Amino acid sequence: MRIITGDDIRSVCSWPFAVEALRTGHRLDPAELSDSLVENAGRRMLVRTAWVPGLASGVKAVTIYPDNPSATPPLPSVQGQVLLFDEARGHVVAVLEGVDLTAWKTAGDSALGASCLAREDVKTMLMVGAGSMARPLIEAHRSVRSSLDHVMIWNRSAPRAEELAASLGDAGIKAEIVSDLDEAVSRADLISTATMTKTPIIRGEALKPGVHLDLVGAFTPDMREADDQALKRGRLFVDSYATTIGHIGEIEIPLAAGTIQRDDIMGDMHDLVQGKAGRQSADDITVFKNGGGAHLDVMIAHAVHQALSAR
C-alpha cells in the first residue's frame, strides 16, 4: 500500500491531466455509488464510496468545517483521505491526501463540463465566492478555455476577494473585484459558483444568451445557488444523476416543487463526454450542476497512482 501525499499528487497532476483522467473514466460504464452524510452543529462528515467497473473502487471520508479558514490557526474547511482499492483483487493500493485530491477532482469536474458545454470564444469569467475552491476553479476553467482573459470576483466579504484578486494578478491574470452581482452576471461568458448559500444568489433573468453557468457550491438538500429562472432558461446538465437527484437542493428543490421535470435534465457527464448531449446553439444558456461523487475521486486517484507507479 502506498501513502500518497499532497506533494506527490502535485508532482504529477496538472489541470489537463485531471480533466483527461475524468474524461477517460466517463468513457466507461457508470459507477456504483453510495454516500453517507452526518451533521453536527453546522459541521458535516461525508463518506462517499464508488466502484468504477474496469478501473478501480474507492472510499473518500471527509469533514466539512466551514469556520476552519477563519480559526486560529486556520485549517482547510474540507479535510479527509481517499482509499483506493485494486479493482480485480480488492486490496488497498494507496491512501491519498483527500484535501489536495478534492480540489483536483472538483475543479476538474467543472472544467470537463465546461469543455463540453461552454462556447469556444468565452472571454470573461465570473467567480462567485472567494474560498478555497475559487483559485482551482479559475485555473481549471482557463485550462480548457484559453480564451478566458478576464476574471471578475464577487464575494460577500471584501478581504478574501482582494486576496484572490492579488494572487491572480501575481500570476498574470487580469482580475476585477465586483460588488453588483446581477451586473457582473449580465457581463459574464462563464460563471462558476462556489458558495455555502442556502438562498439562491444567481438570478436567471440576469444571464445573457450563450453563457455557461457552473454550479459547484450546493452539496446538501437545503442548499441552492441559482434560482428557478436560471434552471428554466438554461439547458440543464448534471455530472451524475446519482449524486444530484434526491440529494442536492439545487436540483431536488425545484424538482419537488414541479418547477422543473426530470426530463428537463438533458444529460449527465457520460452523455456529454460521449457526445450524446450538449450545447445546440451559440445562444444556448447551459447550466451544469457539479454534484461530485467518489467515482470522480477514484478516477483521479487511479490516474495519480498509475503515474507515480510508472516513475
Side-chain angles (χ1 to χ4, degrees):
M1 183 183 72
R2 183 167 191 164
I3 305 297
I4 299 178
T5 67
D7 287 341
D8 293 328
I9 294 170
R10 285 186 290 273
S11 73
V12 296
C13 258
S14 65
W15 293 116
F17 175 96
V19 170
E20 189 55 34
L22 295 174
R23 194 188 307 274
T24 298
H26 283 96
R27 293 190 180 110
L28 302 173
D29 290 338
E32 296 291 333
L33 302 172
S34 179
D35 291 350
S36 172
L37 175 68
V38 293
E39 301 186 46
N40 177 270
R43 303 166 300 177
R44 301 175 178 93
M45 175 175 285
L46 179 63
V47 178
R48 315 192 90 168
T49 60
W51 193 312
V52 183
L55 191 74
S57 60
V59 175
K60 182 173 82 168
V62 298
T63 55
I64 302 102
Y65 279 50
D67 294 334
N68 269 4
S70 58
T72 304
L75 290 172
S77 57
V78 179
Q79 301 174 89
Q81 304 290 332
V82 174
L83 287 176
L84 181 67
F85 294 84
D86 180 80
E87 204 258 352
R89 303 297 297 274
H91 59 283
V92 177
V93 296
V95 179
L96 300 93
E97 172 53 54
V99 174
D100 295 89
L101 200 70
T102 294
W104 290 105
K105 175 267 294 189
T106 302
D109 185 36
S110 284
L112 178 57
S115 77
C116 297
L117 290 170
R119 286 171 48 149
E120 295 284 349
D121 60 350
V122 292
K123 291 188 175 299
T124 301
M125 176 178 179
L126 169 61
M127 184 69 236
V128 181
S132 61
M133 280 307 306
R135 179 69 182 267
L137 283 164
I138 293 167
E139 293 176 347
H141 281 300
R142 293 184 77 239
S143 78
V144 299
R145 288 294 181 267
S146 59
S147 56
L148 282 172
D149 59 9
H150 178 206
V151 178
M152 297 183 288
I153 304 164
W154 181 91
N155 195 57
R156 292 191 189 277
S157 61
R160 297 197 76 174
E162 292 166 356
E163 182 181 349
L164 176 59
S167 71
L168 293 174
D170 290 343
I173 301 170
K174 181 182 178 183
E176 172 193 359
I177 298 173
V178 296
S179 57
D180 187 330
L181 183 56
D182 271 0
E183 191 276 335
V185 166
S186 72
R187 285 197 284 142
D189 301 315
L190 188 153
I191 303 167
S192 188
T193 61
T195 71
M196 291 286 186
T197 187
K198 294 182 179 180
T199 303
I201 55 176
I202 301 297
R203 297 196 313 120
E205 66 180 34
L207 297 169
K208 73 176 185 178
V211 68
H212 174 64
L213 175 58
D214 169 46
L215 301 169
V216 182
F219 58 90
T220 66
D222 60 348
M223 296 175 75
R224 290 186 69 181
E225 295 183 301
D227 69 3
D228 290 346
Q229 189 68 7
L231 302 190
K232 291 171 69 174
R233 286 191 68 198
R235 291 176 56 80
L236 179 59
F237 304 87
V238 297
D239 57 355
S240 168
Y241 294 115
T243 64
T244 53
I245 297 175
H247 299 280
I248 294 176
E250 197 80 73
I251 299 297
E252 191 58 25
I253 292 172
L255 273 177
T259 304
I260 62 172
Q261 306 299 318
R262 171 63 177 75
D263 289 346
D264 291 326
I265 303 174
M266 299 182 177
D268 67 358
M269 192 69 90
H270 287 278
D271 297 320
L272 292 172
V273 166
Q274 296 173 27
K276 299 176 182 177
R279 171 179 291 274
Q280 293 188 337
S281 77
D283 286 339
D284 281 346
I285 294 171
T286 54
V287 180
F288 177 76
K289 175 54 196 161
N290 179 330
H295 60 304
L296 307 176
D297 296 281
V298 168
M299 291 171 191
I300 299 287
H302 180 266
V304 167
H305 182 253
Q306 292 289 97
L308 290 171
S309 298
R311 286 183 168 179

